[in-house]
Amino acid sequence: MQFMLLFSRQGKLRLQKWYVPLSDKEKKKITRELVQTVLARKPKMCSFLEWRDLKIVYKRYASLYFCCAIEDQDNELITLEIIHRYVELLDKYFGSVCELDIIFNFEKAYFILDEFLLGGEAQETSKKNVLKAIEQADLLQEVSTQSVTSEHLCKCIATPQ
Amino acid sequence: MPAPIRLRELIRTIRTARTQAEEREMIQKECAAIRSSFREEDNTYRCRNVAKLLYMHMLGYPAHFGQLECLKLIASQKFTDKRIGYLGAMLLLDERQDVHLLMTNCIKNDLNHSTQYVQGLSLCTLGCMGSSEMCRDLAGEVEKLLKTSNSYLRKKAALCAVHVIRKVPELMEMFLPATKNLLSEKNHGVLHTSVVLLTEMCERSPDMLSHFRKLVPQLVRILKNLIMSGYSPEHDVSGISDPFLQVRILRLLRILGKGDDDSSEAMNDILAQVATNTETSKNVGNAILYETVLTIMDIKSESGLRVLAINILGRFLLNNDKNIRYVALTSLLKTVQTDHNAVQRHRSTIVDCLKDLDVSIKRRAMELSFALVNGNNIRGMMKELLYFLDSCDPDFKADCASGIFLAAEKYAPSKRWHIDTVMRVLTTAGSYVRDDSVPNLIQLITNSVEMHAYTVQRLYKALLDDISQQPLVQVASWCIGEYGDLLVSGQCEEEEPIQVSEDEVLDVLEGLLVSNLSTPVTRAYSLTAIMKLSTRFSSVNRIKKVVSIYGSSIDVELQQRAVEYNALFKKYDHMRPALLERMPIMEKTATNGPTDIAQTNGETDSTILDTKHLPSITHPASQVGRCNYHICFCLAGIPPMTAYNKNGLKIEFTFERSNPSPNIAVITIHATNSTEADMTEFVFQAAVPKTFQLQLLSPSSNVVPALNQGSVTQVIRVLNPQKQQLRMRIKLTYTHKGSPVQDLAEVNNFPPQSWQ
């Protein structure tokens, strides 16, 4: 995967994950064009389109569009499953996720994504394991913000899985 | 200074802004506060401030002043800080930034941190956006982690290694030892990422590929377990066990089996099993089938398996889900060359997809349809494709028209069908056909000799309906210019001949000249067509008038043509018939193709009539429409001369310069006979000195009629690269009053302009 974008029906960006190095200007341009293209699609059209030399896979969940750019050799249908898996993870984490959750907790959305994908590929195929890792990391975060010597507690939680 | 506001509060505030300007104001205010907070080097609130900055960055506002702060957060001991710091790094510190490399040391330390979640953060960051330099520095650490027993870290290290290899391919070797027992893992996460790593290595290096071929049995076993094993809740997706892993294994098998008989055989059974047993009711099952089909088609699978694969695609085509139809068409397009017959079986379904509402599906169906056209199905397919051309989006029309022309050329069952098809395309999508279609079509029409009358009639009728589609108009004008005589004489056999007078035809052509719809190219075509009709029609005066009007046209191209044609009427009237003769059958020149023909089409040039002998006098800038090739005699001024005058036989030379190549002099001989008897079997021969080259074209006839009742003309082309004085020796033979006559003569009185 080269990048993933989440945006609303009004074209507002809610999350952007880039797995290729591009300048800010290029990223903005790509985002703008792609958002326009996808928003112009009619509901009956299929979830794939060719754009520049990439394949774009997108799916709409409620008010949010999830949009991935994959390479020629990548499987479009399984990418749809990847998008679906990410939505399920968000849903489980936030409890019936909606766009507002992602707006107000965007950093958490990134953390979850980074436990699921790495460098554009899936690193963990078990929903349970991804959520467990996030849970533990959240706990670690809580602990480290409390005014208790975090060192000792960190070591406890750091037990390998 | 009061504590900086919390992230959620900021988000809430910004969302209350009613205008862009209001939002910008809030952002600027907050950025100023954040900047001063950064200046104070406040550790407590740095994390909060950077988080806010990241939010504003997502809205599109600049956040570069937070870059160094991200570095400080990464270096902090607090996990919260590191989490936000690494997130900030991934968003703001890509490899193009100057401070990117400053991360290296922090990442290195964190890769060895005692807490696996910290190690995870650094692996993730490195694996998402590490620069080549950073990868080089830290590859060793990644390799170490690839060998750890901690599966949480091992899976991340594998994907991190993939990134390192992509950035610095030379480092691939160093990861080889660590891959030894990657596939013996039970953990799915590690398995999945390991397969990705192996795939990356095999794709990049043929040596690695051969090395890893031995893994095929193991991969097959893992895949088999996934399919056969019972319900595994942890990895289940709609009843299928870990589809992500299945797809990746299938993809790796594809790479390993390609071109290798043994490997392909080893995976044959499992592929058949996956293909037949996978549940197809949901997208996830179809995703696996899709990957399976791609693998079967790429490796050396036996024919039964290939047929199975194509049939799966055929079933996909009938699926309600348009996504499935889309991938089916894409895959069929890839396989249509190699498994043509199998794909043909699904032709009717593919053709139905032309009517799909989705643009991408339509395009693929169109491409596939063209690939499937052959001699047997041409009539049926063409009907569908023409219907499609009528109704499709403008974006498609150009490609569709070109495709139809190509298919028609290859498989036309009859000339009439071919011309009808071409006409249909010109009338329905005439403005979308490519520029090079016009000369190609002209050539097609010229070569279909028996269809000339039919073609010109149909084109004329089309012009009466609509003169807006330029390619159609251009072809039609050209045809009328060539075959106008057939049109007015009503010679059409194929259909009911129409009654049309010369004036009506000229009305139409003149109409094109004045119409706003006509492009300059079209005007040039119609002017030339009108001119050609001067030798085919009797209304010469009308034509003369038209031509003289355009002698003062603002359009330089038209003006030039008109001036030349005027000159044809005045000074060179004796040459006019020969020059404007019917075009002969053209050979398609392989090299220049369209442009070559275009140049001879713009102006009929009978003096250099036989295009086979035409040296490539191609004007470099010539495009189809802008035929710059002038009628050769445009440089008037070289006076004619008498080369021979004896026994009643007079031979006159007239001169033209071949404009693009001034070294070539074109001489036309005119032989006349003032005696009372014809000179029959007349043969004119010529020889030139060594530094010259001579080419003699066919004579107009070999009878020089008596009493100057006519002349025999013949064209000589002389190449004079050294610009030496032209000299010629001529030999004449003929029969006069029953006796053969032969004479030799030297011609030395060439005017200087003819060779200088």
Side-chain angles (χ1 to χ4, degrees):
Chain A
M1 194 185 295
Q2 290 208 359
F3 57 83
M4 181 191 284
L5 302 172
L6 265 69
F7 50 89
S8 69
R9 272 214 59 78
Q10 287 75 43
K12 288 217 119 131
L13 200 59
R14 299 302 178 202
L15 188 144
Q16 52 174 332
K17 189 75 190 179
W18 298 85
Y19 296 110
V20 286
L22 291 165
S23 72
D24 243 7
K25 203 166 138 200
E26 284 165 316
K27 286 183 194 165
K28 282 207 173 123
K29 181 159 186 262
I30 291 175
T31 308
R32 197 174 46 236
E33 281 179 27
L34 200 50
V35 167
Q36 233 175 14
T37 311
V38 171
L39 287 178
R41 303 269 291 176
K42 302 193 194 70
K44 283 263 192 281
M45 296 173 121
C46 73
S47 296
F48 315 127
L49 58 109
E50 294 100 32
W51 186 80
R52 301 195 182 182
D53 58 345
L54 292 169
K55 299 201 277 197
I56 304 292
V57 179
Y58 73 93
K59 192 145 190 229
R60 184 175 155 199
Y61 287 86
S63 60
L64 268 183
Y65 282 88
F66 288 69
C67 184
C68 298
I70 59 175
E71 276 143 353
D72 217 38
Q73 329 86 292
D74 293 328
N75 181 326
E76 294 97 319
L77 298 178
I78 207 73
T79 309
L80 279 174
E81 292 300 318
I82 294 214
I83 293 178
H84 192 73
R85 174 56 63 91
Y86 181 47
V87 172
E88 284 179 322
L89 289 167
L90 290 169
D91 197 49
K92 204 70 205 274
Y93 183 83
F94 288 109
S96 281
V97 67
C98 65
E99 192 184 343
L100 275 176
D101 290 316
I102 301 187
I103 294 172
F104 279 94
N105 300 286
F106 71 94
E107 84 277 17
K108 301 238 170 67
Y110 274 109
F111 296 152
I112 296 171
L113 186 62
D114 287 337
E115 277 301 325
F116 175 41
L117 303 179
L118 200 158
E121 304 282 351
Q123 57 179 288
E124 180 57 68
T125 55
S126 151
K127 230 189 309 189
K128 190 178 89 179
N129 286 348
V130 175
L131 291 167
K132 197 159 69 165
I134 292 287
E135 214 177 303
Q136 298 280 40
D138 281 349
L139 208 56
L140 196 56
Q141 186 170 323
E142 246 184 70
V143 163
S144 74
T145 49
Q146 285 170 7
S147 46
V148 176
T149 329
S150 47
E151 210 192 357
H152 169 71
L153 282 154
C154 274
K155 286 222 169 79
C156 296
I157 299 170
T159 350
Q161 297 304 304
Chain B
M1 199 183 145
I5 65 170
R6 292 174 177 273
L7 171 66
R8 323 270 173 235
E9 213 186 298
L10 177 68
I11 297 176
R12 208 170 298 129
T13 314
I14 292 177
R15 283 172 63 80
T16 61
R18 272 162 299 171
T19 64
Q20 186 75 20
E22 217 182 307
E23 182 185 279
R24 213 176 306 136
E25 217 186 291
M26 291 180 187
I27 303 260
Q28 272 171 356
K29 195 167 136 210
E30 184 58 36
C31 277
I34 293 177
R35 278 184 135 108
S36 39
S37 183
F38 283 162
R39 271 195 297 269
E40 287 173 18
E41 297 281 342
D42 189 322
N43 287 343
T44 335
Y45 295 114
R46 182 175 288 125
C47 181
R48 184 185 293 183
N49 283 329
V50 170
K52 286 187 287 184
L53 201 55
L54 292 179
Y55 177 74
M56 295 189 285
H57 176 253
M58 182 141 64
L59 291 179
Y61 297 94
H64 45 271
F65 56 90
Q67 285 177 1
L68 280 171
E69 304 300 315
C70 290
L71 287 174
K72 292 178 194 164
L73 283 175
I74 293 174
S76 155
Q77 287 310 307
K78 279 163 65 173
F79 184 67
T80 323
D81 283 356
K82 283 190 189 287
R83 239 183 168 187
I84 296 288
Y86 275 116
L87 179 61
M90 283 193 271
L91 289 173
L92 302 178
L93 276 173
D94 65 56
E95 63 184 48
R96 288 151 168 268
Q97 308 304 324
D98 300 326
V99 294
H100 176 85
L101 271 178
L102 294 175
M103 276 198 285
T104 314
N105 217 36
C106 280
I107 295 184
K108 186 170 188 173
N109 291 336
D110 284 343
L111 284 174
N112 293 306
H113 202 272
S114 48
T115 311
Q116 69 176 16
Y117 295 105
V118 174
Q119 289 173 293
L121 283 177
S122 52
L123 275 169
C124 182
T125 307
L126 180 59
C128 283
M129 40 83 83
S131 65
S132 335
E133 277 188 52
M134 200 184 286
C135 287
R136 242 183 261 272
D137 284 340
L138 300 173
E141 306 296 326
V142 176
E143 197 258 344
K144 233 174 18 188
L145 288 170
L146 192 51
K147 296 191 281 212
T148 176
S149 53
N150 180 337
S151 46
Y152 177 76
L153 293 174
R154 207 169 183 203
K155 71 188 185 194
K156 289 180 194 270
L159 288 183
C160 200
V162 171
H163 179 83
V164 169
I165 291 173
R166 283 187 184 151
K167 284 306 220 185
V168 194
E170 307 92 72
L171 290 175
M172 188 167 22
E173 289 284 323
M174 108 187 249
F175 293 105
L176 188 53
T179 61
K180 240 187 168 69
N181 48 6
L182 273 178
L183 290 184
S184 5
E185 268 275 359
K186 291 277 180 250
N187 180 294
H188 281 225
V190 178
L191 272 175
H192 185 271
T193 58
S194 304
V195 173
V196 175
L197 175 58
L198 292 169
T199 307
E200 185 72 27
M201 292 168 99
C202 290
E203 276 176 342
R204 284 186 179 266
S205 155
D207 289 334
M208 291 286 183
L209 181 55
S210 342
H211 173 82
F212 284 127
R213 276 225 176 86
K214 60 180 193 261
L215 292 176
V216 169
Q218 208 173 353
L219 289 164
V220 169
R221 234 179 2 254
I222 299 174
L223 191 52
K224 196 162 190 162
N225 284 338
L226 284 173
I227 308 172
M228 306 295 271
S229 66
Y231 178 66
S232 153
E234 195 176 336
H235 299 107
D236 180 272
V237 179
S238 305
I240 296 180
S241 188
D242 206 339
F244 304 106
L245 183 56
Q246 286 194 40
V247 165
R248 273 336 286 238
I249 292 179
L250 285 163
R251 185 162 151 184
L252 181 55
L253 286 174
R254 176 154 83 243
I255 296 170
L256 294 173
K258 189 167 185 168
D260 188 86
D261 289 319
D262 292 330
S263 305
S264 301
E265 210 194 302
M267 54 181 86
N268 207 69
D269 285 344
I270 191 68
L271 290 174
Q273 211 177 348
V274 175
T276 36
N277 290 345
T278 308
E279 185 64 46
T280 59
S281 53
K282 292 260 170 79
N283 179 62
V284 61
N286 288 320
I288 295 175
L289 278 179
Y290 176 40
E291 197 75 34
T292 312
V293 166
L294 290 176
T295 302
I296 293 175
M297 300 316 293
D298 240 17
I299 63 172
K300 296 186 152 222
S301 44
E302 46 177 57
S303 59
L305 201 54
R306 295 182 89 84
V307 172
L308 180 61
I310 302 240
N311 288 345
I312 291 177
L313 292 179
R315 275 204 311 276
F316 274 7
L317 279 179
L318 300 166
N319 196 305
N320 285 329
D321 187 338
K322 46 198 159 348
N323 294 333
I324 310 282
R325 289 204 300 275
Y326 176 90
V327 302
L329 287 170
T330 315
S331 316
L332 284 170
L333 203 51
K334 287 193 199 140
T335 62
V336 72
Q337 302 303 334
T338 45
D339 294 83
H340 191 89
N341 291 331
V343 180
Q344 278 283 2
R345 259 178 251 136
H346 301 279
R347 196 179 65 245
S348 50
T349 326
I350 292 169
V351 166
D352 280 340
C353 289
L354 285 172
K355 305 189 183 93
D356 202 293
L357 294 163
D358 185 301
V359 161
S360 314
I361 290 183
K362 273 204 277 228
R363 177 165 284 279
R364 284 201 160 35
M366 180 183 84
E367 286 169 16
L368 203 45
S369 299
F370 280 125
L372 289 176
V373 171
N374 63 26
N376 293 329
N377 59 34
I378 178 75
R379 283 187 194 267
M381 287 296 274
M382 201 48 88
K383 241 201 293 202
E384 297 284 347
L385 289 165
L386 284 170
Y387 181 73
F388 176 68
L389 182 65
D390 268 339
S391 52
C392 69
D393 292 335
D395 309 327
F396 285 98
K397 292 210 193 229
D399 289 331
C400 190
S402 300
I404 290 179
F405 285 149
L406 259 141
E409 199 178 310
K410 267 202 236 163
Y411 302 112
S414 75
K415 284 226 152 88
R416 159 124 188 220
W417 181 94
H418 195 173
I419 290 186
D420 281 343
T421 307
V422 160
M423 291 278 320
R424 175 87 184 267
V425 174
L426 285 180
T427 46
T428 49
S431 16
Y432 297 99
V433 299
R434 299 223 163 85
D435 282 345
D436 62 2
S437 322
V438 174
N440 285 338
L441 294 178
I442 287 179
Q443 190 195 35
L444 166 67
I445 293 172
T446 312
N447 293 347
S448 315
V449 176
E450 64 280 12
M451 304 295 305
H452 284 169
Y454 172 71
T455 312
V456 69
Q457 180 163 293
R458 285 214 56 194
L459 283 168
Y460 177 77
K461 283 201 269 191
L463 269 192
L464 292 176
D465 271 335
D466 172 20
I467 60 167
S468 65
Q469 305 198 83
Q470 300 305 294
L472 172 64
V473 175
Q474 287 167 14
V475 175
S477 322
W478 189 91
C479 268
I480 295 175
E482 279 290 305
Y483 312 120
D485 49 326
L486 299 176
L487 184 61
V488 299
S489 63
Q491 281 182 28
C492 183
E493 284 172 357
E494 299 278 343
E495 63 174 24
E496 187 69 34
I498 56 171
Q499 309 286 7
V500 59
S501 71
E502 291 184 2
D503 277 321
E504 284 172 319
V505 174
L506 288 171
D507 284 341
V508 169
L509 287 178
E510 283 186 48
L512 294 177
L513 274 174
V514 302
S515 165
N516 287 336
L517 297 167
S518 298
T519 61
V521 170
T522 307
R523 291 207 178 91
Y525 269 95
S526 39
L527 185 62
T528 305
I530 293 175
M531 186 58 192
K532 285 192 213 173
L533 290 174
S534 72
T535 54
R536 294 158 173 74
F537 282 5
S538 51
S539 6
V540 183
N541 287 327
R542 178 173 174 180
I543 294 175
K544 272 196 199 166
K545 233 195 309 182
V546 174
V547 166
S548 66
I549 292 172
Y550 282 88
S552 42
S553 160
I554 324 170
D555 180 336
V556 176
E557 180 70 33
L558 273 185
Q559 191 191 107
Q560 178 154 29
R561 287 179 192 223
V563 164
E564 289 170 8
Y565 295 155
N566 259 327
L568 247 191
F569 274 125
K570 301 210 165 74
K571 275 207 220 169
Y572 298 93
D573 204 35
H574 54 282
M575 300 183 68
R576 191 165 46 91
L579 267 173
L580 301 178
E581 240 175 47
R582 256 271 213 276
M583 287 295 273
I585 296 186
M586 300 178 225
E587 262 180 23
K588 201 150 194 165
T589 45
T591 42
N592 288 6
T595 26
D596 226 351
I597 295 167
Q599 300 190 313
T600 47
N601 281 344
E603 351 288 289
T604 42
D605 201 303
S606 294
T607 50
I608 313 201
L609 200 53
D610 202 351
T611 56
K612 280 179 244 182
H613 297 307
L614 198 65
S616 41
I617 313 180
T618 41
H619 247 284
S622 273
Q623 298 241 315
V624 168
R626 302 191 307 109
C627 298
N628 294 334
Y629 196 93
H630 306 297
I631 291 184
C632 271
F633 71 139
C634 57
L635 285 190
I638 305 178
M641 65 177 257
T642 305
Y644 178 92
N645 197 350
K646 222 158 135 189
N647 300 331
L649 176 61
K650 180 169 161 194
I651 300 188
E652 247 194 21
F653 283 5
T654 55
F655 299 92
E656 299 116 49
R657 263 290 153 85
S658 172
N659 211 29
S661 328
N663 291 336
I664 297 182
V666 182
I667 304 167
T668 308
I669 71 152
H670 306 262
T672 49
N673 169 11
S674 59
T675 70
E676 307 142 335
D678 292 341
M679 292 170 179
T680 56
E681 289 162 68
F682 176 78
V683 175
F684 173 90
Q685 289 167 295
V688 287
K690 276 214 179 70
T691 51
F692 299 84
Q693 274 179 48
L694 182 131
Q695 184 182 39
L696 206 53
L697 301 181
S698 321
S700 60
S701 91
N702 56 9
V703 175
V704 193
L707 300 169
N708 294 327
Q709 280 169 24
S711 65
V712 166
T713 57
Q714 192 166 7
V715 174
I716 312 171
R717 294 157 54 85
V718 183
L719 179 64
N720 183 6
Q722 295 179 24
K723 294 217 193 285
Q724 294 198 341
Q725 180 173 15
L726 188 51
R727 286 181 354 237
M728 199 185 276
R729 189 173 290 169
I730 62 177
K731 180 172 169 188
L732 307 158
T733 48
Y734 57 90
T735 305
H736 189 234
K737 291 182 184 165
S739 352
V741 180
Q742 192 183 290
D743 200 6
L744 285 168
E746 290 240 0
V747 185
N748 291 324
N749 54 333
F750 284 95
Q753 302 102 305
S754 65
W755 48 269
Q756 270 171 352

